[in-house]
């Protein structure tokens, strides 16, 4: 992973994974899948507010909001039937929401590889999480004109 300083929440999540043996890391990812926050009701009838993450095999959609104070809130939907992908979405929603736009844009693109899951899940799944991160950062840039 690059030497960029990670935001505390993402560093804590990474460290939590790395403290575990590989089989337990997968279990932790499944726990994260159960913790994906529901998107606000205003998104329910407006799928056009989401962006599809094409890098994910499962239908994953994200939406990013940035407040006037430049604080990011990320929303994601992922099917319950795709717990690995849902877990990755949950990690990003929990890890990026509440950060400044600047902090979100500074998250290294290789963060997904730093969780120690590259042997436990397929490279395609890691690529999906990377796609979620890249798209989130792109949306933040578009909203903030950075």
């Amino acid at each position: 992973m690059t030497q960029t300083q990670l935001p505390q929440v993402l560093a804590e999540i990474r460290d939590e994974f790395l403290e575990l043996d590989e089989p337990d890391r997968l279990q932790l990812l499944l726990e994260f899948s159960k913790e994906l926050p529901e998107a606000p009701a205003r998104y329910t009838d407006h799928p056009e507010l989401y962006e599809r993450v094409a890098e994910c095999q499962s239908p994953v959609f994200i939406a990013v909001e940035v407040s006037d104070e430049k604080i990011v809130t990320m929303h994601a939907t992922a099917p319950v039937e795709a717990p690995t992908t849902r877990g990755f979405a949950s990690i990003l929603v929990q890890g990026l929401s509440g950060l400044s736009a600047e902090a979100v844009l500074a998250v290294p693109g290789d963060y997904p590889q730093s969780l120690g899951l590259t042997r436990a899940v397929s490279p395609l799944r890691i690529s999906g999480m990377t796609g979620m991160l890249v798209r989130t950062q792109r949306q933040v840039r578009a909203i903030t004109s950075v």
Side-chain angles (χ1 to χ4, degrees), residues 23-39:
D24 294 331
R25 291 177 192 166
L26 193 52
Q27 186 58 43
L28 180 58
L29 183 61
L30 297 178
E31 289 174 26
F32 268 100
S33 76
K34 297 173 188 171
E35 299 172 358
L36 179 64
E38 290 263 341

Side-chain angles (χ1 to χ4, degrees), residues 100-112:
S100 69
E102 184 178 293
V104 169
L105 294 174
V107 173
D110 60 352
Y111 175 75

